Amino acid sequence: MISKKTDFGYEKVSPSEKTSRVNKVFSSVTNDYDLMNDIMSFGIHRLWKRFAVNISGIRKDSCILDLAGGTGDITKLVYEKLRKNGHVTLCDINENMLNHGRENLINTGIIKGVNYVRANAENLPFRDNSFDFIIIAFGLRNITNKNAALESMRKKLKYGSQLIILEFSKVTISLLDRFYQKYSSKFIPKLGKAVAGNEKSYRYLVESIHMHPNQEKLSEMMEDAGFKNVKYHNLSGGIAAVHRGYKI
Ligand code: SAM
């Protein structure tokens, strides 16, 4: 059987190769991931993440899935909003990232009301209709079959509940775009080499940003997966965007 090729950065590879290479990338960046995020974005990723969590309308008793949650930034922010009855599940396909996330959270005293699940977003191992919110931050572009993942997320949300996607997107200001293209393609891989000794993985991360669907295309994909009332907010001139949609 001939399998359809997919993007791994600028390369075309088989779906199974993409999943395995993405996994290798995240295993190789785990230890420097938090530091590199702060350096690459000048700390701005923290504001974007806070914005995404703040506009979601999470309640004290919400049941939340932090999908592709990695080192746990979103879980940490969500946890601030939950009280005794709320619950957050940190789910990631990569064992190293998940373990690092668990350690980070435990070290900040976040223990009760959090659980950890290693799983592929394309086929989530949860009961249908079980989450009040699913938040996926900077994860979607790394997923091999994004449509399958969106469909799986919709299944696992309760009716009336919301999916929030925070992801890199298309810059809408041309001067900023010119600067950003240069900064991301030339500077970030060099930074990856200097700080983490890992140019290759950071080159993939930049290429994956360039290949990711723009705001309109992602809205369309969400609608095709059955999400209603899909809206997005650009952040920092479209460097990132928060998309939201409902299961109705
Ligand atoms: N959400 C965290 C954040 O914002 O800092 C981590 C984002 S990190 C750029 C992307 C994460 O997506 C990685 O931890 C990676 O292992 C995870 N990932 C990639 N493909 C996945 C998949 N198919 N299912 C679940 N997680 C996946």
Side-chain angles (χ1 to χ4, degrees):
M1 195 178 81
I2 302 165
S3 63
K4 241 177 110 190
K5 296 270 180 185
T6 186
D7 303 321
F8 175 80
Y10 296 155
E11 284 180 63
K12 292 277 177 217
V13 299
S14 71
S16 60
E17 188 181 346
K18 168 154 179 172
T19 306
S20 133
R21 285 176 72 177
V22 166
N23 212 30
K24 278 192 194 132
V25 165
F26 284 103
S27 293
S28 76
V29 301
T30 305
N31 290 339
D32 302 293
Y33 179 81
D34 294 324
L35 174 67
M36 276 297 288
N37 266 355
D38 281 333
I39 299 176
M40 287 185 300
S41 74
F42 309 105
I44 294 168
H45 74 104
R46 294 186 183 278
L47 302 178
W48 295 337
K49 287 171 179 166
R50 194 169 281 280
F51 178 85
V53 169
N54 283 347
I55 60 163
S56 63
I58 288 169
R59 299 176 304 273
K60 289 176 185 167
D61 59 350
S62 299
C63 182
I64 296 165
L65 177 63
D66 174 10
L67 184 55
T71 56
D73 282 358
I74 293 290
T75 294
K76 223 180 275 176
L77 290 170
V78 158
Y79 195 82
E80 288 173 13
K81 302 208 168 283
L82 297 178
R83 295 290 182 273
K84 280 205 292 277
N85 299 325
H87 191 95
V88 53
T89 298
L90 172 54
C91 171
D92 200 286
I93 201 171
N94 184 284
E95 197 170 4
N96 289 2
M97 290 292 277
L98 195 62
N99 287 341
H100 203 79
R102 187 189 283 118
E103 245 170 61
N104 274 350
L105 292 163
I106 290 172
N107 288 341
T108 41
I110 297 175
I111 297 165
K112 230 179 133 204
V114 185
N115 74 313
Y116 302 86
V117 174
R118 185 171 169 217
N120 189 339
E122 293 168 21
N123 189 14
L124 291 167
F126 305 106
R127 267 189 298 122
D128 289 357
N129 309 313
S130 51
F131 293 102
D132 297 303
F133 296 87
I134 296 181
I135 307 186
I136 177 165
F138 304 110
L140 190 67
R141 71 177 196 283
N142 298 295
I143 293 173
T144 306
N145 188 340
K146 296 176 184 53
N147 296 327
L150 288 169
E151 276 161 27
S152 181
M153 289 178 223
R154 188 177 172 280
K155 259 197 209 155
K156 306 304 164 185
L157 275 171
K158 294 179 187 167
Y159 280 93
S161 297
Q162 197 185 159
L163 167 66
I164 299 126
I165 301 175
L166 171 61
E167 191 48 271
F168 289 105
S169 205
K170 176 87 185 95
V171 178
T172 54
I173 304 163
S174 64
L175 198 65
L176 176 63
D177 191 37
R178 255 183 282 155
F179 164 77
Y180 177 66
Q181 294 304 333
K182 275 221 172 87
Y183 169 75
S184 57
S185 51
K186 302 257 180 289
F187 188 65
I188 288 182
K190 287 204 172 76
L191 201 64
K193 187 175 176 187
V195 177
N198 189 347
E199 183 171 354
K200 215 167 124 193
S201 293
Y202 284 91
R203 191 169 296 289
Y204 157 74
L205 291 175
V206 171
E207 290 179 4
S208 68
I209 293 171
H210 293 165
M211 298 305 286
H212 188 65
N214 67 18
Q215 290 84 334
E216 295 305 325
K217 178 69 193 150
L218 180 54
S219 301
E220 236 177 81
M221 288 167 66
M222 290 173 73
E223 281 161 2
D224 289 348
F227 288 95
K228 305 288 180 206
N229 207 7
V230 173
K231 291 196 170 73
Y232 67 82
H233 299 260
N234 283 329
L235 301 172
S236 306
I239 291 178
V242 184
H243 282 70
R244 296 192 291 156
Y246 291 81
K247 172 172 172 178
I248 295 172

